[in-house]
Amino acid sequence: PLVIPPLLQALEDEDRRVSETAYMGLLRQCIRDPTFAVSLWKSVQGESSRAQSLSSLDAEEQALFQEGLALMDQAKWEEALALFDRIIDAGSELGDAYFQRAQALYFMGDYDGCLRDCQETLRRTESHFGALMFAGACYVQQSKTVSYLACDAFSRAFAVHMSLDFI
């Protein structure tokens, strides 16, 4: 994880070669190691992403959500899962309720469940970075060989299309 901040900074470099190299490095590492993808997400998320508007929840659901976040911070996945289940079962359309539940499922090893909740999150918030990262990590967890071959194919396609010689 110490390598993440410099790579993220390199993504924004004015020299396109530097940013492309950083992008490919991050992509390859995420495909090789899903825990890296999760670490990458954690390094870019801030408190603002956790403090997403909860105005669509009633007071009881907001309290459950906050308690669920506290349980997640303590790695009490099953207990947090139960709270996010209650919020979702009450009919909440809050994408982040699904995303928080997806995280708990991921850390419990339920990659199919995590993927379903990531898809529900993305249905509500198309560009949800965390849901995309966790979905990618799930795909890698489910099929390491296919994910590696996909990364290799994407890397070759970028090399040909962009005339990148660093791959």
Side-chain angles (χ1 to χ4, degrees):
L2 294 176
V3 72
I4 293 174
L7 282 172
L8 290 174
Q9 289 173 347
L11 283 175
E12 298 176 6
D13 197 283
E14 291 179 13
D15 184 337
R16 184 174 175 186
R17 292 173 296 178
V18 172
S19 61
E20 289 171 348
T21 301
Y23 170 75
M24 292 306 299
L26 288 168
L27 178 63
R28 283 183 175 189
Q29 190 59 33
C30 286
I31 292 292
R32 287 184 186 141
D33 180 6
T35 58
F36 180 84
V38 172
S39 296
L40 176 61
W41 169 77
K42 285 182 178 180
S43 73
V44 299
Q45 81 150 359
E47 285 305 308
S48 62
S49 68
R50 295 191 88 192
Q52 185 187 61
S53 172
L54 303 179
S55 61
S56 65
L57 302 178
D58 64 30
E60 180 184 350
E61 290 170 333
Q62 287 182 24
L64 289 172
F65 192 90
Q66 294 300 333
E67 187 179 345
L69 291 178
L71 290 167
M72 296 281 283
D73 288 342
Q74 299 169 41
K76 294 183 178 178
W77 313 122
E78 290 181 16
E79 293 173 50
L81 180 67
L83 295 180
F84 294 118
D85 280 343
R86 285 178 56 191
I87 295 168
I88 292 166
D89 291 345
S92 173
E93 284 296 312
L94 180 68
D96 211 38
Y98 285 92
F99 177 60
Q100 297 303 327
R101 187 170 76 174
Q103 289 180 74
L105 291 166
Y106 178 87
F107 290 115
M108 292 169 60
D110 181 354
Y111 305 121
D112 289 334
C114 179
L115 275 171
R116 277 192 304 275
D117 278 356
C118 285
Q119 290 166 351
E120 286 297 322
T121 302
L122 292 166
R123 193 169 68 75
R124 289 159 177 79
T125 310
E126 274 184 33
S127 59
H128 194 288
F129 179 71
L132 292 166
M133 293 301 289
F134 273 82
C138 285
Y139 288 129
V140 174
Q141 290 285 13
Q142 290 177 328
S143 182
K144 293 184 185 302
T145 303
V146 172
S147 294
Y148 174 76
L149 293 173
C151 180
D152 185 54
F154 289 144
S155 296
R156 290 179 188 193
F158 283 125
V160 170
H161 181 68
M162 297 179 177
S163 301
L164 302 177
D165 56 9
F166 58 81
I167 298 176

